[in-house]
Amino acid sequence: ASRELSDSKLLLPGKSLYQALLDSVTLCNDSVKLQIVSEKNKVPLLVEIYAIDGNIFRLKINEISPLKSRYEVPDVLIKNLPLRGKLSIAQKETGILVLTCANEDCKLHITANPFQIELESKGETVLSVNTNGLLYFEHLQPPPQNRCDISYIPQCSVCDAENQEDLGLWQEEFGSFLDIKANGPSSIGLDFSLHGCEHVYGIPEHAETLLLKNTSDDDAYRLFNLDVYGHKIHDKMGIYGSVPFLLAHKPNRTSGIFWLNSSETVVEINTKAHVPSRSPPAITKQRVVPQTDVRWMSESGIIDVFLLMGPTPFDIFKQYAQLTGTQALPPLFSLGYHQCRWNYEDEQDVKTVDTGFDEHDIPYDVIWLDIEHTEGKRYFTWDKKKFQHPERMQELLKRKKRKLVVIIDPHIKVDPMYALYSQAKKKGYFVKNRKGQDFEGICWPGSSSYLDFTNPEVREWYADQFAFKSYKGSTDILFVWNDMNEPSVFKGAELTMQRDAVHHGNWEHREVHNLYGFYQQMATAEGLIKRSGGQKRPFVLTRSFFAGSQKYGAVWTGDNIAEWSYLKISIPMLLTISTAGISFCGADVGGFIGDPEPELLVRWYQAGAYQPFFRGHANIESKRREPWLFGDENTRIIREAIRERYTLLPYLYSLFYRAHTTAEPVMRPLWVEFPKEQETFGVEDEYMLGNALLVHPVIEQKATTVNVLLPGSDEVWYDFRRFRRLDYSGTLKIPVTLESIPVFQRGGSVVPLKTTVGRSTEWMTDISYELRVALDSKDFAVGELYLDDGHSFQYLHKKQFLHRKFTFHKNIFSSSCADEIGQYHTKCVVERVLILGVQKQPTSVTVSLQDGKDKEVVFTYDAKTSMLTLEKLLLNVGADWEIHIK
Ligand code: MIG
């Protein structure tokens, strides 16, 4: 149940109460400023408009002189936003101001009465602001007179009726909880119209469809980070993370709205057919275009919104990354398979499970320890009985070239004997309650206080806790999992922290709520980097997240249930998180709560193998479910899925490099790759992994067929496993067995794979490559491979990497350098090249190397699949070479 955002709900679409004072317009170096004023309260607000490089506009609205300063979200935007050249005034007449910006085909029309802004690009109105007149801004006011703190005097007789009413805005009851608002009502809101759009996406995290739904007869989408065990499906209430970024798409343009606010936020969506008012009645019929109105409301802060103008989906991803950063490049091991449960009991258990993978010939990279590994839920400690020799355990894993991840939650047990607690207490590092004492809430350890990660000094201190000398029993193969960081507070209102708790800088919790997890992951990642002397990439998984969390690691979708419907919803959930900038995401394989039937577990492994973060996990009450516990046949199929994941790693790692450097999501909705194909806009049961692979996981029980949409009328598709060319686009009924993972390679692409697998990623460094070349209708294909040491920052600081490009053109398949700056020595070779879609059997195939020598290549050609196989090639992956096919 969402709480009322003060009186904002009373505001209905209509003429705005705000008027712009066009005489107040000033042009500054980097912005245009003007004042607006509400008819009702006469309080003037300052509007600032900035043009940011790359087709982005920023609109800030704040009080000119608030009683106190209002919260502006720090640390989310990357430092030094590039500002673009000036905005200049193109036209100014009564009631209208037109601004243009240098070198861009963009115009801003500002109307004075009512105050509205229209954004025009290349003559087309893309988006308008305050068209429904829903701008509102509760300016800060002095507390009502005779204000009684009813937390002390529950029935206050001295308050008169009017004061009682005012008080209602200054304090709110939520069940048995009382929220006292230090600043009184301070909510804000604004509406936007997206012209020509009926498809909108984004604003995770909800267990909902990919396409955002109309909220006119349903709850609004809520962004408020909460711990919701077994969260319901098709629910718009907030769960663990929030990214206030919405994307809108129509065939010729994608645009985006990034609402930078970390307090509770709700978003209303209303898609309708719209008749532009200026069109004459006679042609009205043809001119009916869809329009989506989006209304944002936040409990506090200021209006600070970025309007991203695209025009392509990839432009949008770049623009958003320009503001919030790109995905951190994960260490290679973290793209392998992770084995988790609540809990692996003790060192012996860890050893047995680890050995189980080898015995069953299943690769895996990381074993995880949940909260029971600690001494009474005191993070950074080990249970003395169950984990007596944590270093020895890690040494064992290290010899197997594997890693350990341990959980570290943000709540700290109230226990003066616990060094972390007593230190933090002494230094004043905990969040305070409204009376100025350390906030205490119940969580796993019992009574707990919560580190105030919004304070940079606390983050630095926290990061230092990961130093090997401070964190006893930790070694360099230990990485971290941050859970419960919404923050989760048992017995708190909605299981979270009171909004009137107080953070660093005297900010109330309500202001920073959605940022809490973001900051913990930031501090943890910094800690891991620091402990390695700045050398190694961290791996940190977080449950709670915000815009920009991609810079610090991975996220997962929390406590799902071992049911088919949760497998199904995981796809749109991950796609939504991915398009909101966080590429490294996954859902608990198998479903966290309950016990999956073997078929569901198998299907979930198959789906997870083709998703960015791949971890099996289970609740403390769930039965054991290591992959070999479900009979030989199921073990074999799960093994196949995990092995397939490992052969795919070169491709996946290259995709992460792209995400890291150019902000392309690893896992993408179909519409991103096929922006003009209307039939893809709502597809959420299949997706693209990079631009080359289309994945349609089987998510129905006892499925014997799946309906796969192969989009694009001039595309060619190939079955990724049987190499068969599928000569039709549209929806295909594909037969499946329990072994099938329907994956299709797009003609025109080259996918790099490993020819076989090892026991973990680190065992695979020298394993040779296979290049899977799929020709398009013009007999062309292109792809790439990124390669580095897999764990350090040398790729960045010393440019130690290889970025290769593979091209098939005019019957020549060539390997060339995609980035001359990168250098990395490897003995690894390309051993095999499969070329799909070769029309006729070649008479000869030769390789020419850099030194000018030519060599005959042994080849086989299969006319039935039109596949050409070249084997035993031994071509260095870092060298230039050409293969000529005649
Ligand atoms: O409320 O640490 O989502 O993955 O195993 C349970 C125990 C607390 C919730 C996490 C889950 C984890 C569990 N945690």
Side-chain angles (χ1 to χ4, degrees):
S2 177
R3 295 153 39 124
E4 292 289 305
L5 286 164
S6 313
D7 63 354
S8 64
K9 295 254 168 169
L10 305 178
L11 212 63
L12 292 170
K15 189 179 168 223
S16 179
L17 295 174
Y18 282 92
Q19 278 186 37
L21 310 174
L22 292 188
D23 289 340
S24 69
V25 172
T26 50
L27 280 176
C28 309
N29 249 343
D30 61 351
S31 64
V32 170
K33 296 185 169 56
L34 60 123
Q35 293 185 17
I36 58 175
V37 69
S38 150
E39 267 169 34
K40 209 169 116 195
N41 59 27
K42 307 281 186 247
V43 177
L45 302 176
L46 179 67
V47 176
E48 293 169 90
I49 301 168
Y50 300 80
I52 298 175
D53 227 347
N55 228 358
I56 305 170
F57 294 95
R58 180 182 197 174
L59 172 67
K60 279 175 94 167
I61 305 181
N62 196 359
E63 294 179 54
I64 289 178
S65 45
L67 278 182
K68 295 184 189 173
S69 52
R70 300 177 64 118
Y71 192 69
E72 297 190 33
V73 176
D75 303 315
V76 166
L77 296 176
I78 57 166
K79 288 183 199 86
N80 312 321
L81 281 191
L83 295 173
R84 187 166 40 194
K86 281 182 170 180
L87 288 165
S88 48
I89 297 177
Q91 196 185 335
K92 190 175 178 185
E93 46 190 85
T94 346
I96 292 192
L97 178 69
V98 182
L99 301 173
T100 53
C101 47
N103 315 327
E104 286 284 337
D105 252 342
C106 266
K107 273 189 190 151
L108 275 88
H109 297 253
I110 303 175
T111 349
N113 188 13
F115 168 62
Q116 290 182 353
I117 305 174
E118 253 183 35
L119 256 78
E120 182 192 307
S121 171
K122 301 199 161 71
E124 173 199 357
T125 304
V126 177
L127 183 152
S128 47
V129 182
N130 202 30
T131 12
N132 290 311
L134 294 169
L135 166 62
Y136 74 96
F137 206 106
E138 290 181 319
H139 62 279
L140 301 184
Q141 298 187 52
Q145 281 183 354
N146 305 326
R147 183 178 167 213
C148 303
D149 189 337
I150 60 168
S151 63
Y152 306 118
I153 317 164
Q155 237 65 63
C156 176
S157 53
V158 293
C159 302
D160 58 26
E162 194 180 316
N163 263 334
Q164 284 287 8
E165 202 168 285
D166 280 348
L167 273 173
L169 301 175
W170 284 76
Q171 51 198 32
E172 212 169 329
E173 279 172 48
F174 188 79
S176 58
F177 299 94
L178 177 68
D179 174 22
I180 299 202
K181 304 180 186 184
N183 301 321
S186 60
S187 67
I188 54 163
L190 185 57
D191 71 87
F192 303 85
S193 297
L194 293 150
H195 302 280
C197 287
E198 50 183 331
H199 297 95
V200 285
Y201 309 90
I203 52 170
E205 183 180 22
H206 304 94
E208 256 295 3
T209 53
L210 178 67
L211 270 176
L212 298 179
K213 294 172 175 164
N214 246 317
T215 58
S216 36
D217 352 278
D218 198 1
D219 289 340
Y221 286 88
R222 184 180 187 215
L223 295 171
F224 191 63
N225 297 347
L226 291 175
D227 175 1
V228 191
Y229 182 82
H231 49 263
K232 269 198 269 148
I233 291 177
H234 297 309
D235 198 302
K236 296 176 188 59
M237 166 173 144
I239 52 177
Y240 315 97
S242 296
V243 182
F245 176 46
L246 176 138
L247 297 88
H249 180 68
K250 56 185 174 180
N252 66 338
R253 179 185 293 272
T254 312
S255 40
I257 301 175
F258 174 39
W259 178 265
L260 182 53
N261 192 297
S262 52
S263 68
E264 180 184 10
T265 296
V266 293
V267 187
E268 290 176 359
I269 304 216
N270 186 14
T271 302
K272 59 189 182 204
H274 174 73
V275 185
S277 51
R278 272 169 299 193
S279 55
I283 58 164
T284 293
K285 212 170 165 200
Q286 302 144 359
R287 298 253 354 231
V288 173
V289 285
Q291 172 174 318
T292 298
D293 293 340
V294 179
R295 179 191 191 190
W296 299 76
M297 291 171 273
S298 291
E299 186 184 354
S300 59
I302 65 163
I303 293 177
D304 190 358
V305 62
F306 295 82
L307 307 171
L308 284 51
M309 302 290 279
T312 72
F314 290 101
D315 291 332
I316 289 291
F317 300 135
K318 272 213 195 82
Q319 287 156 4
Y320 179 69
Q322 246 180 274
L323 302 173
T324 64
T326 61
Q327 177 65 55
L329 184 64
L332 181 60
F333 79 81
S334 64
L335 298 184
Y337 173 65
H338 300 255
Q339 182 65 33
C340 188
R341 83 168 269 114
W342 180 14
N343 218 96
Y344 285 120
E345 295 294 334
D346 51 26
E347 287 167 4
Q348 187 52 49
D349 196 6
V350 169
K351 200 171 164 185
T352 312
V353 172
D354 177 74
T355 316
F357 277 91
D358 297 330
E359 284 168 0
H360 295 92
D361 203 16
I362 301 174
Y364 96 102
D365 265 79
V366 193
I367 190 157
W368 291 52
L369 294 178
D370 209 320
I371 51 177
E372 313 300 329
H373 83 277
T374 59
E375 194 59 52
K377 318 291 183 314
R378 292 168 185 85
Y379 306 104
F380 298 94
T381 71
W382 304 85
D383 182 296
K384 286 191 199 66
K385 287 206 197 76
K386 302 181 203 153
F387 293 91
Q388 271 185 9
H389 306 291
E391 273 149 338
R392 199 174 71 190
M393 174 180 68
Q394 288 164 75
E395 187 48 42
L396 225 83
L397 289 169
K398 188 170 181 164
R399 261 185 271 138
K400 296 275 202 78
K401 305 190 199 277
R402 288 176 179 141
K403 320 284 180 215
L404 178 72
V405 167
V406 298
I407 199 166
I408 305 221
D409 288 355
H411 51 259
I412 305 292
K413 185 177 175 69
V414 174
D415 171 7
M417 303 301 287
Y418 176 26
L420 205 71
Y421 173 80
S422 55
Q423 262 192 51
K425 171 110 191 148
K426 203 168 88 213
K427 291 175 183 283
Y429 284 171
F430 291 120
V431 180
K432 307 281 183 289
N433 63 25
R434 65 171 173 253
K435 293 171 204 152
Q437 304 141 337
D438 285 348
F439 173 90
E440 284 185 20
I442 310 289
C443 209
W444 293 119
S447 192
S448 305
S449 283
Y450 288 72
L451 288 169
D452 185 5
F453 295 108
T454 66
N455 180 349
E457 192 183 318
V458 175
R459 292 202 297 276
E460 209 182 313
W461 170 84
Y462 191 70
D464 287 334
Q465 304 306 313
F466 293 93
F468 297 118
K469 67 174 192 328
S470 308
Y471 187 174
K472 300 281 181 268
S474 70
T475 75
D476 64 353
I477 65 149
L478 176 147
F479 296 86
V480 181
W481 170 21
N482 291 154
D483 186 23
M484 309 297 276
N485 49 359
E486 293 71 26
S488 178
V489 180
F490 300 166
K491 299 185 185 159
E494 295 190 281
L495 280 187
T496 193
M497 189 174 274
Q498 302 247 141
R499 292 168 202 237
D500 54 14
V502 180
H503 289 258
H504 174 63
N506 222 15
W507 295 109
E508 285 189 292
H509 183 68
R510 82 184 77 252
E511 311 278 2
V512 305
H513 177 82
N514 285 343
L515 275 178
Y516 188 81
F518 166 94
Y519 273 130
Q520 188 196 14
Q521 192 191 23
M522 176 198 270
T524 305
E526 277 165 8
L528 295 186
I529 295 172
K530 238 177 166 176
R531 76 167 187 191
S532 76
Q535 295 299 308
K536 299 221 170 129
R537 288 176 236 164
F539 170 76
V540 185
L541 179 76
T542 182
R543 191 169 71 177
S544 185
F545 55 86
F546 191 70
S549 290
Q550 66 269 17
K551 295 192 286 289
Y552 309 113
V555 311
W556 96 106
T557 59
D559 297 342
N560 56 1
I561 303 180
E563 289 172 5
W564 290 90
S565 55
Y566 284 82
L567 169 58
K568 190 171 183 171
I569 201 76
S570 69
I571 300 171
M573 287 180 78
L574 296 176
L575 286 172
T576 302
I577 293 171
S578 298
T579 49
I582 304 175
S583 262
F584 202 7
C585 57
D588 284 346
V589 168
F592 176 68
I593 300 166
D595 299 297
E597 55 187 298
E599 186 193 352
L600 174 60
L601 186 66
V602 167
R603 289 305 190 197
W604 216 317
Y605 268 104
Q606 294 173 331
Y610 280 87
Q611 288 166 357
F613 175 62
F614 183 29
R615 181 184 76 157
H617 186 30
N619 195 3
I620 196 162
E621 278 149 19
S622 301
K623 294 185 194 131
R624 296 291 288 224
R625 54 165 100 133
E626 288 69 53
W628 49 85
L629 296 177
F630 301 87
D632 288 349
E633 187 58 4
N634 291 317
T635 305
R636 181 180 69 77
I637 302 175
I638 294 174
R639 177 191 300 120
E640 277 316 300
I642 298 180
R643 289 175 68 102
E644 209 159 298
R645 163 67 166 221
Y646 276 80
T647 59
L648 198 67
L649 284 169
Y651 179 61
L652 207 54
Y653 195 53
S654 304
L655 291 181
F656 268 96
Y657 183 67
R658 285 233 142 206
H660 178 55
T661 49
T662 59
E664 295 175 21
V666 169
M667 186 173 167
R668 331 183 162 154
L670 289 192
W671 66 263
V672 167
E673 286 291 330
F674 303 95
K676 294 196 187 313
E677 315 281 334
Q678 299 259 6
E679 78 272 18
T680 65
F681 293 2
V683 173
E684 61 172 24
D685 56 357
E686 59 185 54
Y687 57 89
M688 296 294 293
L689 198 58
N691 65 4
L693 296 182
L694 183 149
V695 186
H696 187 117
V698 180
I699 50 176
E700 303 289 341
Q701 192 175 13
K702 301 209 171 78
T704 54
T705 58
V706 291
N707 292 322
V708 179
L709 172 69
L710 296 174
S713 44
D714 44 7
E715 297 284 340
V716 182
W717 294 94
Y718 301 86
D719 186 317
F720 193 51
R721 219 157 291 95
R722 296 181 185 187
F723 314 127
R724 197 160 54 99
R725 176 175 168 147
L726 301 158
D727 265 319
Y728 15 62
S729 57
T731 302
L732 282 187
K733 204 185 231 2
I734 308 267
V736 294
T737 64
L738 189 58
E739 286 170 70
S740 324
I741 316 176
V743 179
F744 305 88
Q745 187 174 350
R746 185 180 184 178
S749 66
V750 179
V751 173
L753 305 169
K754 286 273 176 176
T755 52
T756 182
V757 305
R759 292 200 268 175
S760 75
T761 52
E762 228 185 287
W763 291 96
M764 292 173 62
T765 315
D766 295 328
I767 292 178
S768 60
Y769 290 94
E770 170 181 323
L771 301 176
R772 202 64 80 73
V773 185
L775 302 185
D776 67 8
S777 55
K778 297 191 184 79
D779 292 334
F780 176 84
V782 63
E784 61 183 20
L785 172 70
Y786 172 80
L787 171 67
D788 62 15
D789 68 16
H791 58 84
S792 77
F793 284 111
Q794 303 287 45
Y795 76 95
L796 198 68
H797 303 320
K798 301 226 167 119
K799 307 294 172 204
Q800 291 181 0
F801 65 85
L802 276 185
H803 193 183
R804 305 295 304 173
K805 184 178 177 188
F806 305 109
T807 318
F808 190 100
H809 185 46
K810 295 194 170 151
N811 284 324
I812 298 173
F813 183 54
S814 60
S815 163
S816 58
C817 187
D819 186 349
E820 298 287 349
I821 288 172
Q823 299 276 331
Y824 185 69
H825 183 72
T826 171
K827 279 182 281 175
C828 217
V829 296
V830 174
E831 182 185 331
R832 193 153 64 212
V833 174
L834 300 191
I835 309 175
L836 313 182
V838 177
Q839 301 302 336
K840 60 176 205 296
Q841 167 136 14
T843 52
S844 85
V845 180
T846 52
V847 173
S848 54
L849 301 165
Q850 256 162 334
D851 57 12
K853 285 184 200 134
D854 285 2
K855 228 173 62 188
E856 287 286 319
V857 173
V858 189
F859 65 89
T860 49
Y861 179 74
D862 180 7
K864 221 171 89 209
T865 51
S866 57
M867 175 173 68
L868 179 66
T869 308
L870 315 176
E871 274 173 303
K872 303 199 181 126
L873 285 169
L874 306 180
L875 298 167
N876 188 288
V877 72
D880 290 354
W881 38 259
E882 285 183 353
I883 299 177
H884 294 250
I885 295 157
K886 289 189 192 112

